[in-house]
């Protein structure tokens, strides 16, 4: 199937501070009582955005000046904990198309890549610099150049890293591997037989 | 140069390289539950695909099942819709399903081993991050997202990149009152919640050699809390003994052949690791968490840290945030912190040995007034054995509520939830903000025996003192 080549993502950004932001924080478990991913967007980061009475807490995601942001900035070990794909699905449906953080939990990273959401790694200093620029000018255009492993904003830029496999999958438009996996049907059957798993 | 178990299993299950350089990895055993699978089955329908090897997918229902009344329909219509969806998908796609009426239902990571589905040298994946539990048997097991659940259903393979292998040796004898759960928390405390990113953890050493299979499962289960997607123990005689005679274990001649293969898959003596960590068992204390990340852990005899003790500014902020959320005073003992709820269960500590061990200590005693204490067996099989042994009565008489099998208050997708800022002494695996069902609820992770000590005294306590465990 033809997928978009994701060579770069551009848009405005918002900074969610902190380290070890887990997928329960990104999408609390009670919102996973669903059989489709539709409608998850509004519940992204719900419990830090709203208090127990449902009143907004003034979280950056709800600040009018950051409305429409498509690039999320955060700290280390972003997306740790539960494997729930509901987390990247919620972020995507909220409007995010790329995440820049100091490091990513592995399952989350893989889930994002398979949905075509680039997750790029930057240093704390570069993220802080970008966050300060975004804070000063929330309409600042930020470019996550996946192809060239670089983030650009205003007259500034910094290098980012991303696993080569994810990089190649995104820029070549092969981030959803199902087509390629299906092609190996015979090889799979052969291996299942060799391992003794082919029959019930 | 010798090979690790990880390398051997990876090789035997690699189908080929994908265009982006990842490996197409065969997953011989796919486990499925109701929360992360409905969308995957939906995607299959959209693509007009079938399940390629339905006999290698095993489903059960665990996350959303109520643990009090399990009569259908459930009081929660959303939960009812989810179980109906799994009922429908299992039937339509012809996969094995341990339903509520099967007598085999339970937490997916308890069911796999007890049915003998989990076997050495295999690859196991499940849309659940605690899948590393199965690594206790010398399988390479890891959590995946829903799109990968689709990939497995459709092809029995997925795209995956190899991991480095970190050998974690724990040697010596644990002190009395210290359990495998403490070993898990101690490792995470030492190496950090992100220390395992990019690694599979191979656990070994004399402490692991001495562990029962259930103790090994507890440590492998929490690999992901240390950032490692996969954790395993090399198979040995205990592994084979555990598996012998189970429903899905090989029988007759096939058993002997399998055991020979399982022996051969263990890491070679001269295997080379990407990293090695050595821990002395005697250094592991009864460990409790004080914060909102599993690596924010201390000995029960220690004081909660102060923000000033951090060496970096982000570290200081992180401690302050955690203390604020947990409503714990900086620099004060964790011992004596009042609890509201005690929870014993989960894929970490919901097995029969956990309940037997705790029952020894709570027999004839009473839960402190005002504490809600619930005990949730990990599976219907565990429940039956516990009842046969009278453990349910011991717990009920002590003031605990003995419930039906499920994930329950580990992540509170069923009606078992904290209320407001209740503090829960919990044998589960995550102390994230809001994890146990209330956005302001507080979780302190610990071993099941430590949970019992907290339940009986009404506050976080050193089980060695409460139960006069000599050491």
């Amino acid at each position: 199937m033809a997928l978009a080549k994701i060579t770069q993502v551009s848009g405005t950004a918002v900074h969610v501070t902190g380290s070890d932001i887990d997928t329960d924080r990104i999408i609390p478990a009670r919102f996973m009582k669903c059989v489709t991913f539709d409608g998850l967007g509004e519940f992204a980061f719900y419990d830090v955005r709203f208090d127990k009475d449902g009143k907004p807490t003034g979280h950056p995601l709800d600040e009018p000046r950051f409305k429409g942001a498509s690039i999320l900035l955060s700290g280390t070990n972003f997306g740790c904990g539960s494997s729930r794909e509901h987390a990247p699905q919620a972020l995507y449906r909220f409007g995010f198309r790329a995440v820049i953080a100091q490091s990513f939990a592995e399952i989350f990273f893989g889930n994002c890549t398979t949905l075509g959401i680039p997750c790029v790694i930057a240093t704390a200093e570069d993220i802080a610099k970008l966050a300060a620029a975004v804070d000063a000018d929330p309409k600042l255009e930020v470019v996550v150049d996946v192809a060239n492993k670089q983030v650009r904003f205003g007259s500034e830029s910094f290098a980012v890293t991303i696993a080569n496999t994810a990089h190649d999958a995104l820029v070549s438009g092969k981030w959803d591997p199902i087509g390629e996996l299906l092609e190996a049907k015979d090889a799979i059957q052969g291996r299942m037989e060799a391992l003794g798993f082919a029959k019930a | 140069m010798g090979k690790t178990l990880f390398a051997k299993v990876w090789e035997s299950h690699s189908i080929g390289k994908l265009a982006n350089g990842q490996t197409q990895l065969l997953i011989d055993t796919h486990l499925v539950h109701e929360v992360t699978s409905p969308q995957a089955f939906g995607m299959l329908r959209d693509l007009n695909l079938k399940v390629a090897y339905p006999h290698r997918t095993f489903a059960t229902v665990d996350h959303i099942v109520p643990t009090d009344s399990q009569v259908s329909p459930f009081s929660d219509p959303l939960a009812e819709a989810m179980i109906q969806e799994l009922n429908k998908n299992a039937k339509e796609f012809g996969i094995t399903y341990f339903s509520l009426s099967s007598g085999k239902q339970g937490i997916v990571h308890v069911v796999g081993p007890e049915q003998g589905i989990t076997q050495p040298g295999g690859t196991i994946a499940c849309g659940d991050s605690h899948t590393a539990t199965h690594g206790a048997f010398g399988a390479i097991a890891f959590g995946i997202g829903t799109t990968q659940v689709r990939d497995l259903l459709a092809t029995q393979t997925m795209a995956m990149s190899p991991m480095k292998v970190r050998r974690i040796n724990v040697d010596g004898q644990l002190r009395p009152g210290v359990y495998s759960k403490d070993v898990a928390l101690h490792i995470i405390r030492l190496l950090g919640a992100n220390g395992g990113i990019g690694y599979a953890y191979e656990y070994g050493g004399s402490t692991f050699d001495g562990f029962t299979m259930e103790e090994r499962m507890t440590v492998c289960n929490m690999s992901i809390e240390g950032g490692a997607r996969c954790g395993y123990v090399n198979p040995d005689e205990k592994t084979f003994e555990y598996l012998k005679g189970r429903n899905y274990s090989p029988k007759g001649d096939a058993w002997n052949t399998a055991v020979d293969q399982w022996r051969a898959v263990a890491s070679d003596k001269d295997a080379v690791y990407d990293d090695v960590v050595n821990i002395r068992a005697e250094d592991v204390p009864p460990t409790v968490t004080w914060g909102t990340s599993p690596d924010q852990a201390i000995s029960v005899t220690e004081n909660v840290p102060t923000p000033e003790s951090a060496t970096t500014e982000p570290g200081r902020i992180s401690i302050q945030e955690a203390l604020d959320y947990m409503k714990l005073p900086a620099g004060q003992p964790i011992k004596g912190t009042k609890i509201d709820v005690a929870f014993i269960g989960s894929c970490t500590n919901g097995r029969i040995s956990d309940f037997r061990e705790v029952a020894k200590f709570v027999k004839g005693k009473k839960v402190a007034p005002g504490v809600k204490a619930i005990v949730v067996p990990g599976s219907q099989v565990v429940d039956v054995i516990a009842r046969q042994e009278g453990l349910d009565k011991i717990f009920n008489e002590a003031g605990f509520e003995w419930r039906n099998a499920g994930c329950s208050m580990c992540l509170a997708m069923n009606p078992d939830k904290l209320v407001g800022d209740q503090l829960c002494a919990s044998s589960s695996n995550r102390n994230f903000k809001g994890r146990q069902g209330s956005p302001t609820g507080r979780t302190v992770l610990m071993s099941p025996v430590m949970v019992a000590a907290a339940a009986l005294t009404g506050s976080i306590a050193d089980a060695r003192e409460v139960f006069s465990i000599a050491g």
Side-chain angles (χ1 to χ4, degrees):
Chain A
M1 69 196 78
L3 298 169
K5 291 178 180 172
I6 300 171
T7 53
Q8 70 167 48
V9 173
S10 53
T12 59
V14 60
H15 187 202
V16 173
T17 58
S19 56
D20 301 316
I21 290 182
D22 56 77
T23 52
D24 276 80
R25 191 104 55 97
I26 297 171
I27 184 80
R30 64 184 183 281
F31 300 118
M32 295 201 294
K33 281 195 235 165
C34 54
V35 295
T36 75
F37 291 125
D38 304 339
L40 283 178
E42 62 180 299
F43 302 120
F45 286 104
Y46 191 90
D47 286 340
V48 283
R49 289 169 53 211
F50 300 98
D51 67 14
K52 63 179 177 7
D53 302 318
K55 291 204 184 75
T57 58
H59 191 271
L61 259 51
D62 293 312
E63 281 189 55
R65 63 195 187 119
F66 298 124
K67 196 173 162 57
S70 60
I71 296 163
L72 181 62
L73 313 180
S74 197
T76 57
N77 203 20
F78 187 77
C80 62
S82 162
S83 62
R84 57 189 70 168
E85 189 172 305
H86 304 66
Q89 292 277 2
L91 294 178
Y92 188 88
R93 283 166 168 72
F94 191 87
F96 291 112
R97 295 295 179 266
V99 188
I100 306 171
Q102 284 169 258
S103 63
F104 292 92
E106 255 172 281
I107 305 178
F108 177 86
F109 177 86
N111 285 342
C112 284
T113 306
T114 309
L115 298 178
I117 306 170
C119 290
V120 298
I121 295 173
T123 64
E125 293 70 30
D126 284 336
I127 292 172
K129 194 164 65 175
L130 173 56
V134 167
D135 189 55
D137 175 15
K139 293 296 152 220
L140 180 70
E141 167 101 345
V142 179
V143 177
V144 179
D145 186 339
V146 182
N148 296 303
K149 300 183 185 178
Q150 193 184 54
V151 166
R152 295 188 293 274
F153 56 102
S155 57
E156 309 237 25
S157 70
F158 56 80
V160 293
T161 58
I162 178 169
N164 285 336
T165 50
H167 172 269
D168 294 356
L170 290 163
V171 302
S172 64
K174 289 186 173 168
W175 35 272
D176 183 339
I178 185 73
E180 240 186 308
L181 296 177
L182 283 164
E183 286 170 17
K185 201 172 166 217
D186 295 342
I188 295 167
Q189 174 65 19
R191 192 63 60 88
M192 286 292 276
E193 283 170 12
L195 291 169
F197 290 116
K199 293 204 181 86
Chain B
M1 192 173 82
K3 285 180 183 166
T4 62
L5 177 144
F6 183 90
K8 294 180 194 181
V9 175
W10 189 269
E11 278 170 28
S12 65
H13 288 73
S14 293
I15 299 294
K17 280 263 193 254
L18 298 170
N20 71 350
Q22 283 190 292
T23 301
Q24 180 168 9
L25 190 69
L26 183 88
I27 302 298
D28 57 53
T29 304
H30 182 202
L31 306 174
V32 159
H33 64 74
E34 76 282 13
V35 177
T36 57
S37 70
Q39 297 87 348
F41 286 110
M43 294 176 206
L44 277 197
R45 284 192 193 91
D46 291 346
L47 295 167
N48 201 21
L49 293 169
K50 288 184 175 148
V51 175
Y53 296 93
H55 62 283
R56 295 312 304 165
T57 294
F58 303 87
T60 191
V61 58
D62 52 10
H63 285 59
I64 54 99
V65 291
T67 56
D68 45 10
S69 169
Q70 298 188 327
V71 178
S72 187
F74 298 157
S75 56
D76 178 350
L78 295 173
E80 179 64 21
M82 293 180 80
I83 193 169
Q84 292 299 343
E85 191 76 9
L86 185 58
N87 294 348
K88 182 184 84 177
N89 288 330
K91 198 170 170 192
E92 180 181 332
F93 291 98
I95 62 177
T96 305
Y97 177 31
F98 303 116
S99 70
L100 278 175
S101 60
S102 68
K104 297 171 184 167
Q105 170 270 344
I107 307 174
V108 66
H109 310 310
V110 177
V111 171
E114 79 189 359
Q115 292 301 324
I117 295 166
T118 303
Q119 295 178 9
T123 47
I124 302 180
C126 175
D128 193 288
S129 61
H130 291 113
T131 306
T133 311
H134 306 268
F137 292 79
I140 296 305
F142 44 80
I144 55 175
T146 296
T147 301
Q148 290 170 318
V149 173
R150 174 206 64 183
D151 295 345
L152 288 189
L153 291 171
T155 71
Q156 206 67 35
T157 66
M158 56 181 277
M160 188 79 183
S161 298
M163 299 171 218
K164 293 181 282 186
V165 181
R166 173 178 288 148
R167 168 85 179 188
I168 299 179
N169 291 307
V170 184
D171 282 293
Q173 190 77 35
L174 291 175
R175 292 176 185 277
V178 178
Y179 294 93
S180 58
K181 177 62 161 286
D182 299 304
V183 172
L185 290 169
H186 188 72
I187 290 170
I188 298 161
R189 178 190 184 183
L190 287 179
L191 302 179
N194 60 359
I197 294 180
Y199 283 97
Y201 280 176
E202 178 179 301
Y203 303 103
S206 64
T207 309
F208 277 92
D209 292 342
F211 273 167
T212 64
M213 291 312 295
E214 302 202 343
E215 290 172 318
R216 294 176 187 179
M217 281 190 253
T218 296
V219 180
C220 289
N221 172 274
M222 290 192 71
S223 299
I224 189 68
E225 269 61 66
R229 193 173 185 178
C230 170
Y232 66 91
V233 177
N234 283 304
D236 61 8
E237 298 307 317
K238 279 185 186 165
T239 317
F240 313 145
E241 192 185 323
Y242 178 100
L243 286 172
K244 193 159 195 184
R246 293 194 182 256
N247 285 348
Y248 285 84
S249 295
K251 307 281 183 324
D253 288 346
W255 169 260
N256 296 326
T257 310
V259 169
D260 288 345
Q261 288 171 347
W262 294 344
R263 265 188 237 285
V265 83
S267 292
D268 297 327
K269 290 229 175 337
D270 58 346
V272 175
Y273 298 92
D274 298 287
D275 190 32
V276 178
V277 172
N278 294 304
I279 294 168
R280 293 193 311 176
E282 65 197 61
D283 293 342
V284 180
T287 303
V288 295
T289 58
W290 58 268
T292 56
S293 175
D295 58 354
Q296 292 175 320
I298 51 175
S299 161
V300 69
T301 60
E302 280 181 79
N303 292 350
V304 170
T306 61
E308 296 71 37
S309 68
T311 50
T312 62
E313 179 61 8
R316 189 193 66 74
I317 293 170
S318 166
I319 294 176
Q320 187 65 57
E321 262 189 29
L323 291 175
D324 290 347
Y325 182 86
M326 292 300 291
K327 300 182 178 161
L328 291 175
Q332 296 300 306
I334 187 100
K335 210 163 81 174
T337 304
K338 191 179 160 300
I339 70 154
D340 305 291
V341 177
F343 170 62
I344 303 177
S346 84
C347 57
T348 315
N349 283 121
R351 297 184 178 80
I352 189 66
S353 57
D354 295 309
F355 303 117
R356 283 179 185 148
E357 182 68 14
V358 177
K360 287 198 300 203
F361 294 110
V362 303
K363 190 172 186 178
K365 303 207 172 64
K366 286 283 177 202
V367 167
V371 172
K372 180 182 178 66
I374 68 170
V375 182
V376 183
S379 71
Q380 292 178 338
V381 171
V382 171
D383 183 44
V384 167
I385 298 170
R387 287 173 187 277
Q388 281 166 355
E389 297 179 9
L391 302 183
D392 59 321
K393 283 198 186 65
I394 292 172
F395 280 104
N396 283 329
E397 281 166 13
F400 291 83
E401 296 171 36
W402 181 269
R403 299 290 190 85
N404 293 306
C407 299
S408 180
M409 208 182 261
C410 176
L411 86 168
M413 282 193 74
N414 75 344
D416 308 331
K417 295 178 197 306
L418 296 184
V419 178
D421 67 354
Q422 279 183 328
L423 190 142
C424 180
S426 183
S427 75
S428 57
N429 43 56
R430 289 190 173 133
N431 54 341
F432 298 154
K433 292 179 181 175
R435 172 74 178 180
Q436 292 189 288
S438 164
T440 51
R442 298 172 291 161
T443 304
V444 177
L445 302 175
M446 58 187 81
S447 74
V449 170
M450 286 281 287
V451 174
L456 299 191
T457 60
S459 57
I460 293 169
D462 188 336
R464 297 171 300 187
E465 293 169 4
V466 175
F467 300 127
S468 306
I469 301 170

